[in-house]
Amino acid sequence: MKKILKGACIVALVALAFTSCKKKENNAHSIFATTQAIEISDGERAYVDPDRHIIIEEGDQVMLYNIDYAGGPRSYYGVYTANSTGYQNVQFDYQSGPLIDHMTRADAFFAFYPGQRVNNAYLSQNNMGIFDIANKQTYREINGQSVYAERTWAMAAKDEVTTSVDDAHFEFQNIMGGVEFKLSTNQSNKAIKSIVFEDNLFNIAGDVHLKIDAVDPNEMLWLCNNYNPDNATYMQRLNDYRTATGYFVDGDQKGNVITLDCGEGVALNSTPKSFYIVLRPLAMYGGFTATVNFTDNTQAVISSTRPVVNMIKPNLFKRFTLNVDNYMVP
């Protein structure tokens, strides 16, 4: 039986998803998950590339909650680990956590990926969760193709229908977005050491605190799509929602800068190469500056000229195809 739930986005770091049941095949204490395709914006065009599903990698974790809306002391978490790599019906096996003794749904199941980024220290206090957005991401490639940094792309799902954890199948929705710099050069021996991304308006890294069960998917979606800081009515609605969810950001990594570390250097040539930086929703609304640092100690500086148009939304990568020769610092 197919079960449909509402999907959404959030200003910082939570979203809920469509979810459905799947019959298990003698897999005790496991859940299954499927991911969605990323939307790409390229200039004026936006499209969904079916090959850009978020890939869950073997060993990745999901933090699964059985939430009691009445209060945190009766809410429980469990850590589940992926036993394969893929994006359709990936199996996650139970690893640890008190959820194992509370498998029957209280009010709702919530699932968050990657589980390694979730801190449950305050779960017993009104179902509060802490979600870590690191201020450093590491460039990597898989099979020769550039991909986003490991464990930076957040996904979430909610199920208020399934009776037992062991019957759950989560259709994860993407709650982060990002920027894709497709960079090239006509120079020889040019390699990128790092890209320092600075948002002009928002903190884009830090520890995000949220009351898990207070998230309203319809309200989150509306707030993301209608962001307008110049509208007093909108800002009152946004502030009311922040208060209801207990949203705030703190921690040593709190700030408006994320650095993409490219190690000893990633070589550039005349063929554009992609560099991904994962960002929270609403990033780039006020513009940005990206400083490209090369191994020969030179720099290129890329600045936003269309800040509102470039705003990051959940499940969206903004693509900039550029020749760095046009942005070199004298």
Side-chain angles (χ1 to χ4, degrees), residues 155-200:
M155 300 183 289
K158 176 186 178 182
D159 183 348
E160 292 181 297
V161 180
T162 302
T163 300
S164 172
V165 171
D166 280 343
D167 293 325
H169 181 120
F170 293 100
E171 186 84 16
F172 276 100
Q173 294 287 332
N174 299 325
I175 55 180
M176 299 292 278
V179 59
E180 176 189 359
F181 293 112
K182 292 196 73 170
L183 305 179
S184 62
T185 182
N186 296 325
Q187 303 179 54
S188 59
N189 301 318
K190 209 71 176 171
I192 295 179
K193 184 176 181 179
S194 67
I195 300 176
V196 179
F197 182 95
E198 180 178 358
D199 192 272
N200 291 350

Side-chain angles (χ1 to χ4, degrees), residues 284-304:
M284 305 203 317
Y285 177 87
F288 70 90
T289 297
T291 302
V292 183
N293 298 303
F294 298 95
T295 55
D296 60 4
N297 295 321
T298 59
Q299 292 181 326
V301 176
I302 303 164
S303 296
S304 167

Side-chain angles (χ1 to χ4, degrees), residues 25-99:
E25 298 177 357
N26 299 320
N27 294 311
H29 306 314
S30 298
I31 61 173
F32 289 85
T34 298
T35 69
Q36 70 179 135
I38 302 172
E39 184 178 356
I40 306 295
S41 173
D42 189 355
E44 296 297 328
R45 302 183 304 277
Y47 61 90
V48 174
D49 182 341
D51 294 328
R52 288 183 177 269
H53 281 268
I54 295 298
I55 302 298
I56 295 170
E57 299 175 48
E58 184 176 358
D60 283 352
Q61 291 182 351
V62 160
M63 190 68 68
L64 182 60
Y65 296 97
N66 188 359
I67 292 292
D68 185 327
Y69 291 155
R74 292 179 295 275
S75 296
Y76 305 95
Y77 73 90
V79 179
Y80 285 70
T81 301
N83 67 13
S84 62
T85 295
Y87 65 86
Q88 289 185 323
N89 302 324
V90 177
Q91 181 176 332
F92 287 80
D93 298 326
Y94 170 82
Q95 293 296 308
S96 62
L99 182 64

